[in-house]
Amino acid sequence: RRAMAVLRVRHCRALLYCRRAPPRCPACGGDLRGAGLANAPVRLPCPFRHGHGQPRAFLIRPSRGTFLHGYDGHGDLHVGITDSRGVVYNYDQEGVHRAGSGWEQCISIPLVQPDMWELLQQWDNLLEEFSLEEAWLPHRYEEQQHNCYTFALAFVNRVRQGRGRAALSKAEFTERFLLPRTTEASRYLALQQQLAHRDVYIVPLAEQEHDS
């Protein structure tokens, strides 16, 4: 299931978020239909992707439900790494899974640039060999210290070190790659929640932002 689109309209020192642009501004009563290009509705891009269509990526999804249906912003998250065909390698208390479904609504972080030709060719073999290592046997799983994130980040660092780059700590990877995406997703989910109960959600613009 997909969420309905969120539109943003800028008008009278406010941002109006809605599903369908109203003919008149609910904040000032002004006519929106002839308000000009600067006030035209803009569709906000959905931050969630069909994970199985995202090759060679780091994926995040809720452990239960999906981001748009059933996730309250506080539940556990699960992460995985896709191969070139969108199969998601992920680790839990049962060991490594190779999932061809179940990751249809994810935050996706691409891991390989199009010009990394050698890595593009090697990716699937590297991921499969990595997943077979003893570190990822079921009995090694530990919820806090040796989990799905440990597995995914260890593979990212294996690839980085193979290319002569320094390994990233969990904090570094989270700050550089995850936080920008998860912050965007949180804002989008907050707007979805607001629009579940009202037709228009109005956010006043700060004075300096209005004048800039």
Side-chain angles (χ1 to χ4, degrees):
R1 295 170 61 193
R2 298 181 64 184
M4 293 175 65
V6 177
L7 302 178
R8 182 183 66 217
V9 182
R10 186 175 178 136
H11 198 258
C12 69
R13 302 193 179 198
L15 295 176
L16 316 176
Y17 294 95
C18 49
R19 301 284 190 205
R20 193 175 298 164
R24 307 194 77 80
C25 175
C28 72
D31 189 349
L32 289 177
R33 287 169 297 191
L37 191 59
N39 303 109
V42 175
R43 179 174 177 152
L44 298 187
C46 179
F48 307 116
R49 301 284 176 268
H50 192 301
H52 301 291
Q54 304 287 313
R56 309 177 188 89
F58 185 108
L59 301 183
I60 310 167
R61 68 164 172 80
S63 296
R64 293 181 179 82
T66 66
F67 280 115
L68 291 167
H69 298 98
Y71 184 66
D72 63 2
H74 303 289
D76 290 339
L77 296 172
H78 194 44
V79 305
I81 303 279
T82 51
D83 69 6
S84 65
R85 297 158 298 154
V87 174
V88 185
Y89 284 64
N90 60 102
Y91 177 63
D92 63 15
Q93 58 269 31
E94 297 174 0
V96 176
H97 302 268
R98 296 159 184 80
S101 63
W103 295 72
E104 286 78 17
Q105 198 182 98
C106 302
I107 296 170
S108 173
I109 297 144
L111 295 173
V112 184
Q113 301 301 319
D115 61 349
M116 297 178 180
W117 180 249
E118 189 175 352
L119 184 55
L120 290 171
Q121 303 305 308
Q122 297 174 342
W123 187 266
D124 288 359
N125 286 337
L126 291 173
L127 184 55
E128 178 63 24
E129 289 171 9
F130 178 81
S131 71
L132 296 174
E133 293 178 3
E134 279 189 36
W136 316 118
L137 290 171
H139 71 274
R140 299 291 298 276
Y141 182 86
E142 201 281 312
E143 189 173 351
Q144 297 300 322
Q145 300 297 326
H146 196 77
N147 53 29
C148 60
Y149 198 144
T150 316
F151 170 82
L153 181 57
F155 179 70
V156 169
N157 280 328
R158 178 74 58 85
V159 171
R160 286 178 64 86
Q161 289 171 318
R163 294 173 58 79
R165 305 181 73 177
L168 295 169
S169 69
K170 184 175 180 179
E172 287 172 324
F173 186 80
T174 299
E175 183 174 349
R176 284 177 55 181
F177 297 100
L178 300 195
L179 273 182
R181 306 293 179 109
T182 55
T183 301
E184 176 192 14
S186 295
R187 287 181 184 144
Y188 189 84
L189 287 174
L191 289 173
Q192 291 283 357
Q193 288 162 2
Q194 290 289 344
L195 293 174
H197 308 293
R198 64 188 80 185
D199 292 331
V200 181
Y201 175 53
I202 303 172
V203 179
L205 282 172
E207 198 67 37
Q208 64 271 22
E209 188 177 343
H210 172 73
D211 294 335
S212 60

